[in-house]
Amino acid sequence: MNILLVGSGGREHALAWKIAQSPRITKLYIAPGNPGTAQCGTNIDIKVNDFNALGKFARENSVNIIVVGPEDPLANGIADYFAADAELQHIAIAGPSQRGAMLESSKDFAKDFMMKHKIPTARYATFSRDGREQGFDFLAKLQAPYVLKADGLAAGKGVIITESLDEARTALCEMLDGKFGEASSKVVIEEYLTGIEVSVFVLTDGQAYKLLPEAKDYKRIGEGDSGLNTGGMGAVSPVPFADATFMDKVCKRIVEPTLAGLKQENIQYKGFIFFGLMNCAGEPYVIEYNVRMGDPETEAVMARLDADLPDLFEGVAQENLHERRCGTLPHTAVTLVSVSGGYPGDYQKGKGIEIAPSSDDSTLIFHAGTRLDADGKLVTSGGRVFAVTATGNSIEQARTKAYKALDRITFEGKYYRRDIGNDLTEL
Ligand code: AMP
Ligand code: GLY
């Protein structure tokens, strides 16, 4: 089987690492990939939204399945593009149609979908440019803190949470006036949910689904969950509170109604669904849907996935996923992300990277924002530079190993959080 994986971050390195282990893989291509994915397959220099070039490459290289890492090409309709072309139709896409991708690309669409299908989520209302007075009235009826979300994709930055009603009103005006461009031409205002977050992942062929290991993500830049939101500074899997009782509620109240809703609305959906959930006193609520795997959650989840990933993708393509085996390894995985100094604000790129050798080859070093410079030397090229994953019998054990591995990586300005997993060990 030949797979073309689209994307270039830590998530894609982790997916490539897992895919490459399968005896069923003949060729793995990654577009555009990074120096890490180059260790797992062949990087090809095509951008993730260049559907023409991806189609041409896939046809000429007998690609069977395209696995889409990030949301952007999905929101731009990569699955529809392939489905509409007679010469590309035979190539399966592990990723939803453009309409399916709206679960992530439009918060208003996602909230409306959840209401229609009775999926637990925070109460909300959506306001557009001519509705700010109604927005003020709605805010006045809510209790602090106030949650405002840009409707469209805003690179994870489109959510504002504030304690002050005045700030919430100002934020609403700024958003409607274009703070996040077209993405905030509509704003969802919702009730604040109190609890602990957990990321739940499934892979579906449109009928059946496989539940993948869950994970907890650490979104804020600072220790103790302080400071600005980032793409994610670390992940832990499993999540102790996501026990059988909780996960049963998640499947029955959230995963299954979501899949049934997609079918009922005739929305083509094959691929990953990422449920961003809040555990509110033992009851799961959906905070957001994503139509892809999480980053850095994937780097922890892949270390626990007991399955042949290409076999699962083939099950998605052939719509017989229920016949494929998908298990979870019992060990704990901890992922730590090292970032460029200044991230998520401005930061410098092009800093030389050294990775000290080690006799412990059980720790995984996933490249996120790295590249090779003109001399072939590894340098930083993004905010999140590496994700390091270690496994162990407990969070403490895995974490100790992961921090040791992170110490082997040096680059100027390197920053990471030292408290990943602390909250879970203190529970
Ligand atoms: P989102 O992009 O929708 O995942 O929101 C970003 C982050 O804001 C989430 O991961 C939560 O930490 C927080 N958040 C979003 N919606 C709510 C809510 N209704 N109540 C509490 N926190 C929220
Ligand atoms: N780690 C959160 C995300 O991938 O959106």
Side-chain angles (χ1 to χ4, degrees):
M1 186 184 334
N2 297 328
I3 288 187
L4 168 56
L5 172 65
V6 174
S8 63
R11 167 183 48 213
E12 286 73 28
H13 187 181
L15 288 169
W17 168 78
K18 189 69 187 164
I19 292 169
Q21 288 167 37
S22 167
R24 306 204 44 207
I25 281 292
T26 314
K27 282 296 270 182
L28 169 62
Y29 302 103
I30 309 96
N34 65 35
T37 64
Q39 299 161 13
C40 312
T42 308
N43 286 351
I44 54 166
D45 189 16
I46 300 178
K47 296 209 165 64
V48 302
N49 286 307
D50 189 348
F51 300 165
N52 274 327
L54 289 172
K56 185 167 180 289
F57 180 88
R59 221 177 43 229
E60 289 173 357
N61 292 276
S62 308
V63 166
N64 306 100
I65 301 175
I66 299 188
V67 178
V68 185
E71 64 277 16
D72 234 38
L74 295 165
N76 290 335
I78 187 169
D80 312 71
Y81 176 89
F82 275 71
D85 186 324
E87 287 181 24
L88 299 175
Q89 271 165 1
H90 66 282
I91 302 168
I93 308 280
S97 63
Q98 189 166 34
R99 195 155 167 75
M102 282 180 76
L103 284 182
E104 176 166 357
S105 66
S106 168
K107 302 249 186 225
D108 179 46
F109 176 89
K111 295 295 279 190
D112 183 55
F113 178 90
M114 287 186 266
M115 287 295 136
K116 270 195 284 197
H117 302 289
K118 302 197 168 45
I119 294 161
T121 188
R123 282 189 304 142
Y124 82 107
T126 303
F127 302 94
S128 47
R129 288 203 169 116
D130 55 4
R132 62 192 73 194
E133 288 304 324
Q134 291 94 316
F136 290 170
D137 291 346
F138 186 71
L139 281 170
K141 282 191 230 139
L142 296 175
Q143 309 266 320
Y146 305 94
V147 182
L148 293 92
K149 301 185 174 184
D151 173 57
L153 294 178
K157 300 199 173 82
V159 176
I160 293 175
I161 300 180
T162 170
E163 288 286 339
S164 139
L165 181 58
D166 269 352
E167 272 177 33
R169 290 160 62 111
T170 307
L172 174 64
C173 293
E174 284 174 1
M175 286 167 95
L176 290 174
D177 287 339
K179 183 178 169 119
F180 300 107
E182 264 312 292
S184 63
S185 60
K186 280 199 274 182
V187 174
V188 168
I189 301 180
E190 68 179 36
E191 200 177 30
Y192 183 83
L193 296 173
T194 305
I196 313 182
E197 285 178 62
V198 54
S199 305
V200 169
F201 305 96
V202 306
L203 181 65
T204 178
D205 61 1
Q207 309 285 335
Y209 71 93
K210 297 286 186 190
L211 192 62
L212 309 181
E214 79 287 348
K216 184 171 190 292
D217 174 22
Y218 293 78
K219 287 204 169 79
R220 303 294 192 97
I221 187 72
E223 284 163 19
D225 285 330
S226 59
L228 294 173
N229 258 324
T230 69
M233 296 295 293
V236 175
S237 178
V239 179
F241 66 75
D243 55 14
T245 311
F246 182 80
M247 291 310 287
D248 192 54
K249 291 179 190 171
V250 170
C251 290
K252 296 226 163 65
R253 297 180 194 170
I254 293 170
V255 175
E256 287 158 26
T258 298
L259 294 174
L262 289 167
K263 254 170 89 173
Q264 197 184 322
E265 296 191 29
N266 255 321
I267 297 175
Q268 277 286 326
Y269 204 112
K270 289 179 170 196
F272 293 109
I273 313 181
F274 164 170
F275 300 85
L277 305 180
M278 189 72 90
N279 173 0
C280 303
E283 308 303 322
Y285 286 79
V286 178
I287 295 234
E288 64 166 350
Y289 285 112
N290 294 303
V291 298
R292 51 170 174 84
M293 287 298 289
D295 194 350
E297 290 97 323
T298 307
E299 291 91 310
V301 167
M302 288 302 129
R304 297 192 61 229
L305 183 65
D306 182 16
D308 180 309
L309 193 52
D311 184 63
L312 294 181
F313 289 137
E314 191 182 68
V316 169
Q318 298 178 353
E319 296 181 16
N320 56 13
L321 187 60
H322 63 285
E323 293 169 11
R324 316 283 170 144
R325 200 189 69 82
C326 180
T328 295
L329 297 168
H331 60 222
T332 295
V334 170
T335 299
L336 309 171
V337 176
S338 60
V339 304
S340 301
Y343 172 83
D346 290 340
Y347 56 86
Q348 293 184 343
K349 296 182 187 175
K351 303 289 181 196
I353 299 167
E354 300 294 339
I355 305 179
S358 158
S359 52
D360 168 22
D361 58 3
S362 69
T363 307
L364 303 162
I365 295 182
F366 295 119
H367 292 234
T370 72
R371 67 176 178 84
L372 297 179
D373 70 8
D375 304 324
K377 195 174 154 14
L378 193 65
V379 297
T380 65
S381 71
R384 291 190 291 175
V385 183
F386 286 99
V388 170
T389 298
T391 55
N393 292 327
S394 63
I395 293 178
E396 288 85 348
Q397 218 184 58
R399 188 168 53 186
T400 305
K401 272 170 73 183
Y403 278 109
K404 241 189 221 153
L406 200 64
D407 280 343
R408 290 168 42 209
I409 301 175
T410 351
F411 58 87
E412 193 190 312
K414 176 179 126 182
Y415 169 79
Y416 56 92
R417 273 177 64 167
R418 289 163 202 274
D419 65 341
I420 301 301
N422 278 4
D423 56 332
L424 296 177
T425 48
E426 285 159 7
L427 280 178

